[in-house]
Amino acid sequence: KKKKFSKDKIAVIFAQGAINSGEGDNENIGSETTSKTIRKARKDKKIKAIVLRVNSPGGSALASETILREMELAKEVKPVVVSMGDVAASGGYYIACKADTIVANPTTITGSIGVFGVLMNLEK
C-alpha cells in the first residue's frame, strides 16, 4: 500500500564548525552558504518551520551577523528553532539568538559573545 505523507516539511540546516565569510564546507560555516540555505527554506512555502543545528565555537563577527540577519527574516514568516550541539559559543551562540526556541543539552558549552581580549601593560 502507498502511505500518504504530508507535503509540508521542516528544514533542518546544519551549521558545523568555525564561522567564516563566503562559502562553507563540511568543516566550516560559510556565511554565504548558510544564509542562502536559510533564505531558500524561508521562501519555500512547503517548509513550515526551520531547525538550525549549531555546533560552533564562533568565528567572524561579520559572518555571524550575516547569518543572524537571515535568521531574523526567517522568523518573521515561520517558526525557527535552534538545536545546540556540543558547542554554541561566541558567533555560534549569536546566530541562535533570534530563534523562537533554543534547545541545548546540559553539557552544551554556550554563551561568551566577544569576551576574549588582550590588554598590554607597558608600565615597567
Side-chain angles (χ1 to χ4, degrees):
K1 289 183 178 179
K2 273 191 170 181
K3 292 184 179 181
K4 291 187 178 186
F5 292 99
S6 173
K7 292 180 182 179
D8 295 337
K9 300 174 184 178
I10 296 174
V12 179
I13 301 168
F14 289 86
Q16 174 94 17
I19 301 171
N20 300 303
S21 295
E23 300 295 316
D25 55 34
N26 289 337
E27 296 179 14
N28 293 290
I29 302 166
S31 62
E32 294 303 316
T33 307
T34 305
S35 294
K36 183 178 177 180
T37 304
I38 296 168
R39 187 177 315 113
K40 184 177 176 183
R42 171 174 53 96
K43 291 182 176 183
D44 187 333
K45 298 203 184 305
K46 290 181 182 177
I47 294 176
K48 302 302 179 187
I50 298 171
V51 176
L52 182 69
R53 176 68 173 176
V54 178
N55 195 15
S56 172
S60 164
L62 179 60
S64 299
E65 184 68 37
T66 302
I67 297 167
L68 180 69
R69 176 67 180 139
E70 204 56 55
M71 290 285 286
E72 203 169 27
L73 294 171
K75 182 181 171 178
E76 291 176 5
V77 295
K78 55 188 71 178
V80 177
V81 175
V82 167
S83 169
M84 293 180 171
D86 295 332
V87 179
S90 192
Y93 177 75
Y94 189 59
I95 65 174
C97 288
K98 296 292 181 171
D100 294 297
T101 302
I102 299 172
V103 181
N105 294 315
T107 57
T108 298
I109 299 169
T110 188
S112 304
I113 296 176
V115 297
F116 181 75
V118 176
L119 298 174
M120 292 178 52
N121 182 347
L122 300 174
E123 189 174 307
K124 292 182 181 181

